[in-house]
Amino acid sequence: MDPNVSLITLGVPDVEQARQFYVEGLGWEPILDVPGQIVFLQVGHGLALSIFGAGELAKDVDPTLVPDEAAGAAQGPRGVALAHNVGSAAEVDAVLADAARAGATIRKPAQRAEWGGYHGYFADPAGTLWEVAHNPGWSVDPDGTVRLGPVD
Amino acid sequence: MDPNVSLITLGVPDVEQARQFYVEGLGWEPILDVPGQIVFLQVGHGLALSIFGAGELAKDVDPTLVPDEAAGAAQGPRGVALAHNVGSAAEVDAVLADAARAGATIRKPAQRAEWGGYHGYFADPAGTLWEVAHNPGWSVDPDGTVRLGPVD
């Protein structure tokens, strides 16, 4: 597993409130903005920050959660995950296997993601969530700008 | 406040356990390694991950905490903070003021840091911790490599 963070996800109680803080308050330009659902912001060379519902993040990790459980599963600062993007589905499998060998707990086995890519989640020994993802619509320009295009 | 994350801090219950996972398990090369205390790893262009005690992170945010309180204040995945590095102490002041204007709660007013720099903390509306720091010993090479040198 290469040492790289591609995306920092903040699972928040209120996406619109967080969006207002970052986009309206701090003036950060969204890469992608789906009102009330998710916002992506560029926060470094090849690095994005996403603002996502805490319950939605919990459900993305464990799709078996019913909405009430999901809402309780990740609140405020607990709802943080780091993402590590790779170039193919096979690499997702390999990275999750590497992580498990290194002592991680697989929280979501590698699988097709709802958004069209392929992903899985592991938790490091302290419980920090890492999503390992192949997103064919994600690319990084030579200057480090993250592009989020459609996934066919 | 520029949209940039410089450092992701994981406040963990057991630094040595987390160090073993990242350094021994995943094979990530430390930028700086203070056994049992803190480890810095390169995780992107100009981006580092630090592994730090949850109680130490809580105490860095609120130095008035006694050790027992600090240990209870940040556990596992709750102990996450993002860092935004700037070029001077004056910029730390300005960014904290910007953040407060945007709706952040100042958790630690700007002040000299124990490690020789100057920093403060704010929490976004969801409680996510951001450290705003000027570290004269931190630099980023043209290729994005983070250097952590001594602070005079």
Side-chain angles (χ1 to χ4, degrees):
Chain A
M1 181 174 177
D2 291 333
N4 184 57
V5 176
S6 310
L7 173 67
I8 300 158
T9 298
L10 306 181
V12 301
D14 182 335
V15 171
E16 188 48 35
Q17 181 192 49
R19 188 198 170 283
Q20 281 190 8
F21 174 73
Y22 290 102
V23 178
E24 316 298 339
L26 297 181
W28 294 6
E29 187 76 19
I31 300 168
L32 182 69
D33 191 340
V34 185
Q37 289 189 44
I38 195 162
V39 186
F40 287 87
L41 305 156
Q42 176 93 24
V43 293
H45 190 125
L47 178 69
L49 180 74
S50 71
I51 299 164
F52 195 37
E56 294 306 305
L57 177 59
K59 279 192 63 173
D60 199 43
V61 176
D62 181 357
T64 68
L65 290 177
V66 298
D68 278 1
E69 288 172 332
Q75 293 294 339
R78 182 172 285 152
V80 174
L82 306 182
H84 180 78
N85 286 10
V86 293
S88 67
E91 286 175 72
V92 173
D93 294 336
V95 166
L96 284 170
D98 267 3
R101 268 193 298 272
T105 303
I106 302 300
R107 292 288 302 277
K108 184 184 197 178
Q111 58 194 263
R112 296 296 301 172
E114 229 177 50
W115 40 265
Y118 184 82
H119 76 158
Y121 277 92
F122 69 83
D124 77 7
T128 306
L129 285 172
W130 282 80
E131 180 189 21
V132 182
H134 171 54
N135 182 346
W138 176 292
S139 64
V140 178
D141 289 351
D143 73 356
T145 303
V146 175
R147 302 284 180 191
L148 279 165
V151 179
D152 300 320
Chain B
M1 182 173 176
D2 292 332
N4 185 57
V5 176
S6 312
L7 173 66
I8 300 158
T9 298
L10 306 180
V12 302
D14 182 336
V15 171
E16 187 49 34
Q17 181 193 48
R19 188 197 170 284
Q20 282 191 6
F21 174 73
Y22 291 103
V23 178
E24 315 298 338
L26 297 181
W28 294 6
E29 188 75 21
I31 301 167
L32 182 69
D33 191 341
V34 185
Q37 289 188 43
I38 195 161
V39 186
F40 287 88
L41 305 156
Q42 175 93 23
V43 293
H45 191 125
L47 179 68
L49 180 74
S50 70
I51 299 163
F52 195 38
E56 293 306 305
L57 177 59
K59 279 192 64 171
D60 199 43
V61 176
D62 181 356
T64 68
L65 290 176
V66 298
D68 278 0
E69 289 171 331
Q75 293 295 337
R78 182 172 285 153
V80 174
L82 306 181
H84 180 79
N85 286 10
V86 293
S88 67
E91 287 174 72
V92 173
D93 293 337
V95 166
L96 284 171
D98 267 3
R101 268 193 299 272
T105 303
I106 302 300
R107 293 289 302 277
K108 183 184 197 177
Q111 57 194 263
R112 295 296 303 172
E114 229 177 49
W115 39 266
Y118 185 81
H119 75 158
Y121 276 92
F122 68 85
D124 78 7
T128 306
L129 285 172
W130 282 80
E131 180 188 22
V132 181
H134 171 54
N135 182 346
W138 175 292
S139 64
V140 179
D141 289 351
D143 73 356
T145 303
V146 175
R147 302 283 178 192
L148 280 165
V151 179
D152 299 320

